[in-house]
Amino acid sequence: MALACGGFSCSKNALTALNMLYILVAFLLIGVAGYSKASSIITSLAIISGIIACGVFLLLLAIVGLIGAIKHHQVLLFFYMVILFLLFLMQFAIACACLAINSDQKKQLAMQGWSRSKGDNLKAKTQSYFNCCGLVKHDDPMPGMDRPPCDQLPCCMDLLEAERPHYCGGKNMSHQELEEACPVCWELLEPKMTSALKATGGVGLFFSFSEFIGVWLTVRYRNQKDPRANPSAFL
C-alpha cells in the first residue's frame, strides 16, 4: 500500500532513522566531551561530565526508541517520548552553561581542580605537560595551591645554573625574568579549557534540537494507525 510521506510508514521510517542518528550523536557527544575533559588535565569539569552523561543516556534511549519504532509499541514510545524531552531540556541547559561560562569562572574551576588534587602526581603531570610552574602563581600561599618542584622542567633545565630563578633551584630573579623562565600553568591551560567548553557546548546545543524533533515525531507516530493491524483497532 503506497502511502504519502506523513503516513504511518513514513513516520516509522523517519523515527527509526532518527534513532540511528541519535546513536551516532551519542558517540560523538561522549567522544568530544571525553577528549575535552582529558585535555583540561587538572580540571574535573562537572558540566562536561554532564554532557558525557547525556551522551550515554541518549545511546540507551535511542536503542529503546528503535525497538518502540519498529514494533509500534505504545508503552515504550510513551516513556521514550517523555524521557527524550527531559533529556533535551537537560542537554540544552548544560550546553548553554558550557558556552556561557566566563574567564573568572573558568579560573575558579581550575583552582578548585588544582587544590582538590590528592598528592603532587596530577600537579606534576600538568606542569610537565604544559612546561609550566604553579597554577596561578609560582609560589602561591593559598591552601591547596602549592606545587611540586619545577627544577626538572624543560623551562628550568634550559637555563644555566646561575640564571635559574628560585623555583628552579637557583638565585632569585625579577618578576619579569620569572615569567620569561617558566610561565604559570593557567596561561597555557585557559585556551585549552575555552576550546574544550566551546566544542562540547556547541555540539551539545546543536544536537539537542534534534531531540525536540524526535519528541514531536514520536507524538505523531503514536497517534497513527498501523495499516497492517485490525482497522478497527487504534494502536
Side-chain angles (χ1 to χ4, degrees):
M1 179 178 180
L3 293 174
C5 191
F8 180 86
S9 295
C10 184
S11 297
K12 178 180 179 179
N13 293 335
L15 190 58
T16 301
L18 191 61
N19 278 284
M20 293 177 69
L21 175 65
Y22 286 161
I23 293 176
L24 297 177
V25 170
F27 282 116
L28 181 62
L29 287 174
I30 295 169
V32 171
Y35 172 78
S36 299
K37 190 173 182 179
S39 68
S40 299
I41 306 289
I42 59 103
T43 52
S44 180
L45 298 177
I47 47 180
I48 290 183
S49 298
I51 289 290
I52 295 175
C54 285
V56 173
F57 203 61
L58 180 61
L59 177 61
L60 298 175
L61 192 60
I63 295 173
V64 174
L66 273 175
I67 298 172
I70 293 171
K71 295 187 175 182
H72 198 227
H73 196 291
Q74 290 292 303
V75 176
L76 281 180
L77 288 173
F78 173 77
F79 284 106
Y80 167 80
M81 174 182 64
V82 172
I83 297 173
L84 186 62
F85 181 71
L86 295 176
L87 184 64
F88 157 74
L89 295 177
M90 182 172 64
Q91 185 173 317
F92 181 81
I94 294 174
C96 288
C98 285
L99 295 173
I101 189 169
N102 60 38
S103 181
D104 289 338
Q105 291 169 330
K106 284 183 284 190
K107 191 173 184 178
Q108 286 298 319
L109 287 172
M111 291 175 68
Q112 289 175 12
W114 185 277
S115 63
R116 291 174 183 174
S117 300
K118 296 180 180 179
D120 287 340
N121 289 338
L122 192 57
K123 295 178 182 178
K125 179 182 177 183
T126 304
Q127 292 185 162
S128 176
Y129 183 86
F130 289 105
N131 192 24
C132 57
C133 185
L135 180 63
V136 180
K137 300 178 181 178
H138 292 106
D139 292 298
D140 199 326
M142 292 180 60
M145 297 305 294
D146 56 313
R147 56 163 178 79
C150 301
D151 56 310
Q152 297 300 313
L153 294 173
C155 59
C156 282
M157 296 294 291
D158 289 344
L159 300 174
L160 297 174
E161 183 68 32
E163 297 175 341
R164 293 181 185 175
H166 66 93
Y167 56 80
C168 289
K171 66 178 184 178
N172 291 337
M173 301 175 69
S174 69
H175 179 73
Q176 182 178 358
E177 290 171 321
L178 292 176
E179 294 294 335
E180 291 175 354
C182 274
V184 292
C185 295
W186 175 242
E187 295 178 3
L188 305 172
L189 183 62
E190 184 180 17
K192 287 276 187 180
M193 286 185 64
T194 301
S195 176
L197 289 167
K198 284 184 177 180
T200 305
V203 170
L205 185 64
F206 179 79
F207 287 110
S208 65
F209 291 103
S210 70
E211 294 162 9
F212 186 77
I213 295 173
V215 173
W216 169 79
L217 191 58
T218 305
V219 173
R220 186 175 178 215
Y221 179 55
R222 284 187 75 243
N223 293 325
Q224 290 178 326
K225 295 180 180 180
D226 186 347
R228 297 170 300 178
N230 186 350
S232 62
F234 186 74
L235 299 179

